[in-house]
Amino acid sequence: MSDEPGIPATPAGSTGGPVGPHPEPIRFFGTTWLNHDNGYTARRIGVALGSLAAAVVSCLVLRLAYQGLQIAAIGSFVTLLMVVMFAICSALAFRHTWDGFTRRPDPDRQASLRGLLTIGFVGSLLAYFFRSLTEAPGERLHREEYEAARRHHEKRTTRRSGNPSKKRRRA
């Protein structure tokens, strides 16, 4: 196994491919992000349209919920609290999701924010949409980790040149 997070290495004794780190698959993209092949562009377009459509449908569902609160006549204060809660949670979820594309999230923090991220699902969908306009969401992080793992693997496996017995000893 590789020392880098999420980058498995092929064991040295195995057959059937090059030895070294392999790219980690990304949801909806697999490993097509590495060389931008096998329908990568079409997948990015599909992910962008799908996340935008899901965000629009989610906003419509939230609109229905808001109308339900108005029909229930529970008061303007509670209605205002609900709108503010969804707006703040969506903004926080957007930021958290956006940051997750550039660095690995802390598992403990992720677990503690699970409820907030669930309430702010519209923000997460919008972050996914905006990131998929430029790259596969998380591609930059995966590419940096993969290239670091490759450099580390090449450095570890580079052989010395020359005869080691002729090497001068340090005094």
Side-chain angles (χ1 to χ4, degrees):
M1 283 290 160
S2 173
D3 296 334
E4 299 298 320
I7 310 292
T10 305
S14 70
T15 58
V19 175
H22 295 288
E24 183 179 357
I26 297 176
R27 179 181 293 155
F28 304 123
F29 293 91
T31 57
T32 62
W33 60 267
L34 186 61
N35 298 319
H36 294 189
D37 57 355
N38 296 333
Y40 171 81
T41 304
R43 290 175 193 223
R44 260 194 39 217
I45 292 169
V47 165
L49 292 176
S51 59
L52 182 62
V56 168
V57 169
S58 299
C59 287
L60 291 175
V61 169
L62 289 176
R63 172 76 179 155
L64 290 174
Y66 176 77
Q67 288 176 343
L69 290 176
Q70 285 182 326
I71 292 170
I74 58 173
S76 60
F77 180 70
V78 174
T79 303
L80 180 66
L81 281 178
M82 293 296 291
V83 170
V84 169
M85 176 197 63
F86 274 106
I88 290 173
C89 289
S90 290
L92 291 172
F94 179 92
R95 182 62 183 185
H96 180 76
T97 304
W98 191 265
D99 287 344
F101 296 142
T102 55
R103 59 184 158 82
R104 296 266 178 192
D106 178 30
D108 294 332
R109 184 170 185 262
Q110 185 83 6
S112 68
L113 292 176
R114 187 170 289 130
L116 182 131
L117 294 174
T118 302
I119 294 170
F121 62 97
V122 175
S124 292
L125 290 170
L126 289 175
Y128 215 79
F129 166 72
F130 286 120
R131 182 56 77 149
S132 62
L133 292 177
T134 57
E135 67 176 7
E139 178 180 344
R140 184 176 303 148
L141 172 68
H142 284 71
R143 189 171 301 282
E144 288 171 359
E145 289 176 350
Y146 176 67
E147 288 174 358
R150 284 187 55 204
R151 282 192 302 274
H152 181 70
H153 177 74
E154 288 171 6
K155 185 178 177 181
R156 262 189 14 239
T157 57
T158 302
R159 303 284 180 217
R160 287 189 296 190
S161 62
N163 186 349
S165 65
K166 292 182 180 180
K167 185 177 179 183
R168 279 192 181 161
R169 302 285 177 193
R170 291 185 189 167

